[in-house]
């Protein structure tokens, strides 16, 4: 650690006994005081040199003593421990006030005394308060008036005013007082506004923090509820499969053993039982699949283009039967859950082909757009389209349109929604009935790294 850093830390530890809140005006005032002291202490020895020269030239040796005294006072303020920061500030301001008056007395109006007095007023306003600055202006005004009257009434001899008339004296000092009042008043207004802003910001931050906490809690409740629902769906689907299997077996046994003795209508009813139970088995399997979705998912980087090419092979039969065309250009490599992502694309492509118009060949276009922190994918078809009143409902579980015309379970898009959500994204559709649909979904680029759940 450099010497300067060590010095800075030591002074800071001496001055700031307790931690100041950053959202507080006094924090900034204290910081300003700290830096004035830090640099003042470091550079005040340099002022001793001009002090010595000036003393030698003018014969005022007390200027050197004053410089040395200033250095000692700064040393005490920077390193003496048991002094409160407010007291340190008062000592500094009072001492500088004394220095200014000594300079004024010794070097007269031509010296730096007046500028010094003005600076002390500003410093006191910045590091302490407007009140202290007004007090120093008042003391200055009283002393100036007293000296001014002394010129006229000659109570005692003052070298400071030797060449001045009362009127010129007041002309000079009134300017200083006037300027000090204006500057202090302006600073005071700015500080009050700053304080108000800081308080408002603090309240706002507190509200935001509270809201964030509440949101995190709500998200947790939602996650738990979702998990509970998944568990519930899984249990129901699992438990219902057993009685369903017995139903199917007994229906099958009844038909094969007693076919001759069952009247035709009875056989028809039994065959209905068989098809319905087969359908129910499919639904239960889909529900199980839905509940399991995302369990044991693994994050990896994969090529979407490769996945589409694999899907073209997997869906070959559906594609050729419907003479569907799949069109895509450049598709990116992304980070995500590959198995689930493939299922998502498969559902959307299969749906695009399935919900085609009778009289038109189907074309499915796949596109990807890169955004700042996500990937947006578009799957566009020229199929039957979806009425806008169904645009949201189709993503809910078991929601199907055109039940009699197209086969399905009503779980495909619910699966898609769940997969997109585990990828930190959204899914939605834009569609014009009889013209076609575009399914959009997004995938976050900032998924957590390899985490098996
Ligand atoms: P399923 O395909 O098993 O019916 P989905 O959840 O995949 O169930 O779809 C829900 C409903 O959304 C479908 O029944 C269908 O009416 C509609 N749909 C889905 N994809 C398309 C599409 N590409 N074009 C027109 N309608 C669609």
């Amino acid at each position: 650690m450099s010497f300067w850093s060590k010095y800075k830390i030591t002074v800071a530890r001496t001055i700031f006994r307790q931690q100041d809140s950053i959202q507080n005006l006094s924090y900034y005032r204290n910081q300003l005081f700290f830096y004035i002291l830090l640099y003042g202490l470091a550079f005040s020895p340099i002022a001793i040199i001009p002090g010595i020269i000036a003393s030698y030239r003018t014969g005022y040796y007390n200027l050197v003593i004053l410089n040395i005294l200033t250095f000692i006072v700064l040393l005490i303020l920077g390193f003496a421990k048991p002094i409160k920061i407010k007291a340190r500030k008062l000592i500094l301001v009072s001492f500088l006030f004394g220095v200014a008056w000594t300079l004024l007395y010794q070097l007269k109006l031509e010296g730096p005394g007046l500028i010094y007095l003005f600076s002390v007023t500003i410093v006191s306003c910045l590091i302490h308060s407007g009140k202290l600055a007004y007090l120093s202006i008042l003391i200055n005004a009283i002393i100036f008036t007293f000296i001014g009257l002394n010129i006229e009434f000659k109570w005692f001899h003052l070298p400071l005013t030797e060449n001045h008339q009362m009127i010129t004296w007041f002309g000079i000092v009134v300017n200083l007082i006037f300027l000090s009042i204006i500057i202090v008043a302006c600073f005071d207004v700015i500080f009050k506004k700053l304080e108000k802003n800081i308080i408002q910001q603090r309240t706002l931050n507190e509200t935001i923090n509270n809201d964030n906490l509440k949101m995190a809690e709500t998200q947790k409740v939602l996650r738990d509820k979702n998990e509970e629902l998944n568990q519930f769906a899984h249990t129901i689907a699992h438990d219902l499969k057993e009685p369903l299997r017995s139903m199917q077996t007994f229906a099958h046994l009844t038909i094969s053993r007693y076919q001759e003795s069952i009247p035709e209508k009875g056989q028809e009813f039994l065959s209905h039982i068989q098809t319905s139970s087969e359908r129910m088995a499919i639904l239960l399997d889909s529900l199980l699949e839905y509940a399991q979705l995302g369990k044991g998912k693994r994050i990896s980087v994969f090529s979407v283009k490769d996945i589409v090419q694999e899907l073209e092979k997997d869906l070959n039969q559906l594609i050729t039967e419907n003479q569907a065309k799949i069109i895509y250009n450049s598709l990116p490599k992304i980070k995500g859950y590959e198995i689930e992502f493939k299922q998502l694309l498969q559902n959307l492509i299969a749906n695009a082909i399935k919900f085609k118009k009778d009289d038109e060949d189907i074309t499915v276009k796949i596109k990807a757009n890169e955004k700042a922190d996500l990937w947006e994918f578009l799957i566009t078809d020229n199929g039957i389209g979806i009425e806008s009143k169904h645009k949201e409902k189709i993503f809910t579980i078991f929601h199907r349109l055109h039940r009699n015309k197209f086969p399905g379970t009503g779980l495909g898009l619910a699966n898609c929604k769940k997969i997109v959500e585990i990828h930190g994204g959204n899914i939605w559709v834009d569609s014009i009935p009889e013209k076609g649909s575009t399914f959009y979904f997004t995938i976050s680029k900032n998924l957590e790294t390899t985490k098996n759940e």
Side-chain angles (χ1 to χ4, degrees), residues 294-298 337 448 451-453:
K295 285 231 165 78
K297 62 185 186 290
R298 271 171 195 281
Y337 306 105
E448 280 175 46
K451 193 166 127 199
N452 301 334
E453 289 167 57

Side-chain angles (χ1 to χ4, degrees), residues 123 129 166 216 222 352 435:
V123 166
S129 63
M166 188 175 76
L222 261 177
K435 284 249 154 67

Side-chain angles (χ1 to χ4, degrees), residues 6 72 139 207 291 390 412 432:
K6 275 188 203 155
I72 295 170
I139 296 173
T207 322
H390 298 300
I432 303 173

